Amino acid sequence: MDKLDLGIIGVGHLGSIHARLAAQSEKINLVGVFDLDQERAEKAARDSSTECFRDMHALLEKVQGVSIVVPTSEHHSVALKALDYGCHLFLEKPIASSVDQARDIVQKAREKNRKIQVGHIERFNPAILAIKDHPLKPMFIEAHRLSTFNPRGCDVSVVLDLMIHDLDLILYLVKSPVTHVDACGVAVVSREEDIANVRLKFASGCVANITSSRIALSPMRRMRLFQQNQYIALDFQEKKADIFKLTDQDTIPDPGCKPAVVSRIGVGDNARDVIYEKPSPPEVNSLQMELEEFAKAVVHDLEPEVPGEQGLMALETAANILEQIARP
Ligand code: NAD
């Protein structure tokens, strides 16, 4: 049993890409697709050379895992049904539209001993993969995620649509509980916030300042991390990472990086070199990688890269932020 028998539920914009990549993967056996919109389901099935199911339950009976790519408001009901059939879940982000619904899903998966992987795709961005083994203890983080206007996703706040990517990443990178949230947001062109700024404080002392906008003139997806003697710049759009380190001259640089002294800071005996390191990011298709990691987790009984509990944590943080914004 080397391949995961996978079904895809919801083959709209993103789900049709899931289907195409799953069909190409050597780690996945794409059993079929289902969508309430029969025409869409037939097209996705044709494009991915797989079966089009007219009944979701018939698909659930035939698979070990499902990729759930329906609108977020439907995650809860579809996920619970899939768990009733004993399926493992790949659940797009955010995990659900409310914290209660997300807790329900995580609880039921635990009871049924099924795995959940949440589609926080930026974990598989080459910029993050490039620093995976780099020692991190960030004390200040500045994140910007700006996109030009697109009505898709505007039914929810920018906090749930865009900022949730950075919330998940920052929780993953800082690995410390949030102790304080300070947030503001403005609905400029839609009914929910289109732009938001948040300052999170962590028990470790780290502070993260996050800005997200879906009404920007040009896109940007950047994160800067500052820690003792280091500055790490991540660009998720360019898929690259840059590391600047203060170092003594006799320090041996990390293997696998190309270091270069770019300047010198301080005076006299206290002067230290600033070394620039360019980790080599792996060339991957992030969506294909996250689906294959899910398949690997199920087939080899491993902990998924982004388990349901972490998807829940990101959503709880987003809910705290939305509560702060709503406060008069
Ligand atoms: P979409 O509207 O293009 O597609 C959703 C599809 O689900 C539609 O074809 C619809 O007919 C179908 N559907 C609705 N309810 C259903 C049900 N109960 N059973 C079966 N099919 C049903 O939406 P999308 O943009 O593809 O987004 C889908 C999910 O993916 C959302 O949760 C969204 O937040 C998430 N998403 C994640 C990212 C990311 O960066 N990871 C990006 C975009 C969207």
Side-chain angles (χ1 to χ4, degrees):
M1 190 187 74
D2 287 320
K3 286 189 176 193
L4 173 74
D5 290 334
L6 182 79
I8 300 191
I9 299 179
V11 280
H13 168 70
L14 190 58
S16 55
I17 306 174
H18 276 234
R20 187 169 43 78
L21 293 174
Q24 292 166 2
S25 171
E26 288 176 358
K27 302 204 167 101
I28 294 168
N29 171 35
L30 180 61
V31 175
V33 298
F34 170 77
D35 195 297
L36 287 180
D37 182 329
Q38 184 70 24
E39 249 179 60
R40 261 188 208 172
E42 277 167 9
K43 179 171 187 322
R46 253 193 330 272
D47 292 348
S48 306
S49 309
T50 191
E51 191 176 339
C52 176
F53 284 74
R54 285 173 180 269
D55 174 12
M56 183 169 80
H57 302 265
L59 175 59
L60 292 175
E61 266 174 359
K62 287 200 167 173
V63 293
Q64 297 165 282
V66 273
S67 183
I68 298 176
V69 206
V70 296
T72 309
S73 54
E74 296 292 306
H75 283 190
H76 181 249
S77 69
V78 175
L80 294 190
K81 268 181 214 145
L83 287 170
D84 280 337
Y85 279 82
C87 296
H88 299 277
L89 311 180
F90 182 96
L91 199 44
E92 259 308 333
K93 69 89 218 173
I95 180 170
S97 44
S98 76
V99 169
D100 283 347
Q101 288 186 353
R103 284 194 186 128
D104 238 20
I105 298 170
V106 169
Q107 174 68 23
K108 185 156 179 172
R110 252 189 230 139
E111 284 164 14
K112 297 251 172 193
N113 198 21
R114 298 293 91 174
K115 297 181 195 298
I116 301 179
Q117 181 167 325
V118 184
H120 283 296
I121 192 167
E122 293 288 49
R123 296 273 198 107
F124 302 89
N125 188 300
I128 286 288
L129 298 175
I131 59 158
K132 211 171 163 76
D133 297 324
H134 190 81
L136 291 175
K137 195 173 187 319
M139 295 311 288
F140 178 62
I141 299 176
E142 180 85 48
H144 283 94
R145 188 170 292 263
L146 317 179
S147 77
T148 53
F149 186 71
N150 180 345
R152 185 187 296 281
C154 282
D155 51 326
V156 295
S157 166
V158 72
V159 174
L160 288 175
D161 186 25
L162 295 186
M163 189 181 282
I164 192 120
H165 285 294
D166 291 318
L167 296 175
D168 171 66
L169 284 178
I170 289 169
L171 290 167
Y172 164 70
L173 295 169
V174 175
K175 294 185 177 33
S176 171
V178 175
T179 53
H180 187 77
V181 175
D182 202 1
C184 66
V186 185
V188 181
V189 296
S190 40
R191 292 164 65 93
E192 308 283 342
E193 294 79 25
D194 297 304
I195 180 159
N197 174 263
V198 177
R199 187 178 160 89
L200 297 179
K201 281 191 186 165
F202 293 85
S204 66
C206 179
V207 169
N209 187 31
I210 313 165
T211 302
S212 308
S213 166
R214 58 185 173 206
I215 49 167
L217 292 177
S218 50
M220 177 195 282
R221 288 191 279 147
R222 282 195 192 155
M223 190 177 284
R224 288 177 289 163
L225 291 84
F226 299 84
Q227 61 188 42
Q228 198 177 25
N229 293 333
Q230 280 184 44
Y231 159 50
I232 299 160
L234 305 175
D235 189 326
F236 302 114
Q237 218 162 272
E238 299 291 326
K239 300 179 174 35
K240 63 172 194 157
D242 296 303
I243 302 174
F244 295 86
K245 280 184 182 172
L246 271 181
T247 183
D248 299 322
Q249 272 171 329
D250 54 356
T251 307
I252 299 160
D254 285 355
C257 294
K258 291 179 196 146
V261 176
V262 288
S263 70
R264 198 161 166 77
I265 288 183
V267 277
D269 288 348
N270 292 327
R272 296 168 80 191
D273 287 335
V274 178
I275 284 189
Y276 168 64
E277 285 181 5
K278 178 114 195 99
S280 313
E283 280 182 29
V284 295
N285 176 317
S286 303
L287 184 46
Q288 177 158 8
M289 186 176 179
E290 67 177 348
L291 286 175
E292 290 187 344
E293 286 297 316
F294 170 63
K296 196 166 98 186
V298 173
V299 169
H300 299 290
D301 194 16
L302 304 168
E303 171 89 339
E305 281 287 322
V306 190
E309 287 78 3
Q310 293 183 16
L312 170 61
M313 231 196 305
L315 185 63
E316 282 170 340
T317 311
N320 278 342
I321 290 167
L322 289 172
E323 223 174 82
Q324 272 268 337
I325 292 175
R327 242 174 248 170

